[in-house]
Amino acid sequence: MADRPPLCDGAATVTAGWMNLALIAGGVFDSPAIADVSVENLGAASNAAGTLLRCHLVGSDGSAPAPESVIVKLPASSRVPVRVTKWLSLHKREYRYYRDIAPHTELRSPALLYGDFDERTHRYVLVLEDLGHLECPSQVTGVDAGRAMSAVRAIARLHGRFWGKTDRAPTSGSYAVHGTTAGRVLHSAYALALPRALDLFDDHFTARTRRLAESLAPLVARHMAATDAGPRTFIHGDYRSENMFFGPAGSGEFAAIDWQASGIGSGLYDLAYFMGGSVLDEDRRRIEAAALGEYHDIVRGLGVTDLTLADCRRSYRRHMLDTLVVHVLGCRFLRLSDEDTRELMSGVMQRVLVAVEDLDAGEFLPDRGRSVRIGAILSTLPLRAHRLMRLARRPGGPSARRAPRGPQGQGGNDGEADEGRTDGEHDADRAPQ
């Protein structure tokens, strides 16, 4: 076996020597063929858990080799994403998908030319086929109806291939996207993120969706457990337009990238996440029934017998609540001071809230019952504090009626200005923006 190159520490270490070793180890070349590498940093705006580099290759004789360019994916440089990605096994999941699972699927993804992963540190590198000749549509503008249907057909083929077979190779041992552990983590994170989402995108929430979002706060873990109870398959986990590449109109050419969130879960989650966040409202409404029908037909054609069209629609509607949870979380963890990221989140949040309301997804809120634990109630304290703050800020509210303080703030608690601010809000202020 050819010598494997060391794991890269950044763009500066992606040299011609390193690239030759990688492509020889990956079986692309038999001997050194690269004389120079020009590295273009594609940034991490839409890929917060990784760094993407487009590497233009120059052959040893000065000509362009085949391939002329490749994509190199490395971990993000920020310490916070590194800790999070290790905890959630994001890099391991993606490496394993390209190495073990992609060869067994019909859904196209970039060919893996070389890959390496360190189990101890979770450092990794992927050298992938460059799909730059295809178009990756912005999630801000969304995908049109024709492309949306292509994406639906592609994900249906992936789901149908592994439906009910996740205990077998190659998917056995994959990360459980929806499960008890994930539910507990998302439960607490959602309660901390929701006040910020309500403040940032107040205009996008109707009275009905605001009540729904608040009612969901103590029930996220229970909701996740309910969505995990259905049939399982292998899912993408972040199925949105900015992780998709499309060929010219009518070509049917399609590929999906960024498999860091992939694992075992409910197939209709991918569909709800995509339709709710990446398809414009009118297009979604127009093709929703057809999309569900084609999805059902495709998975049934691949041997799935325990799924009715009514099951599809019910699961799709239920998972639109999960889509809301994920985008609320984005308001806490994404760098929303970046204008492009904020514009993206604003547009997507509006679409998701419209879809939640259109589909009456609130029907699937779990019953609170008597078994809602004290931890679930405590986790909503930031939201309760946020409500009090909103009341205080209203004209004629408590803050408006408060007696004036003495000169230079004397005669009161020095910390009074911060009363009502939650740990989540302080954390949001400290989080990298």
Side-chain angles (χ1 to χ4, degrees):
M1 180 178 178
D3 292 338
R4 300 177 73 85
L7 284 165
C8 298
D9 291 321
T13 60
V14 183
T15 63
W18 185 93
M19 188 65 70
N20 275 312
L21 286 176
L23 295 180
I24 291 171
V28 179
F29 297 145
D30 294 328
S31 60
I34 306 299
D36 194 18
V37 176
S38 174
V39 179
E40 175 189 357
N41 195 325
L42 301 180
S46 62
N47 183 46
T51 298
L52 293 176
L53 309 173
R54 171 171 282 126
C55 299
H56 302 275
L57 310 181
V58 178
S60 54
D61 60 356
S63 64
E68 295 183 16
S69 64
V70 297
I71 297 296
V72 173
K73 188 166 187 178
L74 304 170
S77 57
S78 167
R79 290 183 179 181
V80 173
V82 169
R83 288 199 300 268
V84 172
T85 54
K86 186 174 181 180
W87 177 50
L88 294 175
S89 295
L90 299 185
H91 299 330
K92 184 176 183 177
R93 288 196 252 176
E94 183 164 47
Y95 171 71
R96 187 169 182 269
Y97 173 79
Y98 280 111
R99 187 192 66 180
D100 299 334
I101 299 173
H104 300 278
T105 71
E106 291 185 24
L107 195 163
R108 183 184 175 191
S109 55
L112 177 65
L113 306 177
Y114 174 75
D116 196 8
F117 175 80
D118 186 308
E119 286 280 355
R120 184 180 63 84
T121 63
H122 282 229
R123 292 171 64 211
Y124 85 136
V125 62
L126 298 173
V127 181
L128 301 167
E129 173 190 10
D130 187 356
L131 298 179
H133 64 290
L134 303 177
E135 183 183 352
C136 178
S138 167
Q139 201 171 355
V140 175
T141 56
V143 298
D144 60 34
R147 285 182 166 181
M149 292 301 293
S150 293
V152 169
R153 295 180 191 113
I155 201 65
R157 287 191 288 270
L158 174 74
H159 294 164
R161 167 68 178 81
F162 298 113
W163 197 281
K165 304 172 185 174
T166 55
D167 57 342
R168 311 174 200 173
T171 56
S172 56
S174 296
Y175 189 94
V177 177
H178 305 116
T180 303
T181 300
R184 285 198 292 261
V185 171
L186 293 181
H187 179 99
S188 299
Y190 177 86
L192 289 170
L194 183 57
R196 193 173 189 221
L198 293 173
D199 275 343
L200 286 171
F201 303 117
D202 180 69
D203 292 345
H204 297 342
F205 285 86
T206 64
R208 184 182 178 194
T209 53
R210 178 181 288 274
R211 285 195 302 271
L212 173 60
E214 293 177 345
S215 297
L216 184 57
L219 304 171
V220 169
R222 183 176 292 185
H223 169 70
M224 294 286 287
T227 59
D228 189 46
R232 296 183 182 188
T233 185
F234 189 86
I235 70 173
H236 183 281
D238 191 18
Y239 202 60
R240 58 192 177 94
S241 63
E242 293 191 350
N243 288 332
M244 300 173 179
F245 283 87
F246 295 88
S251 69
E253 195 171 3
F254 175 85
I257 64 168
D258 200 351
W259 293 85
Q260 294 184 107
S262 64
I264 307 304
S266 171
L268 274 297
Y269 170 79
D270 274 344
L271 192 60
Y273 186 82
F274 168 64
M275 295 286 286
S278 296
V279 184
L280 297 179
D281 298 337
E282 290 306 315
D283 285 333
R284 175 186 54 78
R285 290 167 179 148
R286 180 161 54 87
I287 67 171
E288 209 158 38
L292 285 165
E294 287 215 34
Y295 179 93
H296 178 252
D297 288 346
I298 290 170
V299 297
R300 291 275 297 184
L302 290 169
V304 177
T305 59
D306 60 348
L307 182 73
T308 67
L309 184 56
D311 292 335
C312 275
R313 178 163 178 78
R314 183 175 179 83
S315 183
Y316 172 78
R317 293 173 58 219
R318 184 193 294 272
H319 279 301
M320 204 57 77
L321 282 184
D322 297 282
T323 301
L324 174 60
V325 170
V326 170
H327 288 92
V328 166
L329 292 175
C331 295
R332 177 175 171 83
F333 296 111
L334 294 180
R335 295 183 176 95
L336 295 182
S337 61
D338 176 82
E339 186 175 343
D340 290 341
T341 304
R342 190 176 180 119
E343 180 186 12
L344 169 64
M345 180 57 71
S346 176
V348 174
M349 178 66 80
Q350 184 171 31
R351 277 180 221 149
V352 169
L353 289 168
V354 170
V356 163
E357 199 156 20
D358 282 350
L359 296 165
D360 193 20
E363 175 187 335
F364 298 98
L365 271 179
D367 180 23
R368 292 177 68 98
R370 298 179 60 187
S371 60
V372 174
R373 298 181 178 180
I374 187 67
I377 297 172
L378 290 175
S379 70
T380 64
L381 290 179
L383 182 58
R384 295 168 189 264
H386 176 260
R387 289 175 184 156
L388 291 175
M389 291 175 63
R390 284 179 60 86
L391 287 172
R393 289 197 297 261
R394 288 178 182 173
S399 61
R401 296 191 298 268
R402 184 179 297 160
R405 304 179 72 192
Q408 300 176 351
Q410 299 298 318
N413 184 343
D414 290 342
E416 185 174 344
D418 279 335
E419 285 183 7
R421 292 192 76 197
T422 69
D423 289 342
E425 287 170 302
H426 284 293
D427 287 347
D429 290 346
R430 290 195 298 265
Q433 295 295 309

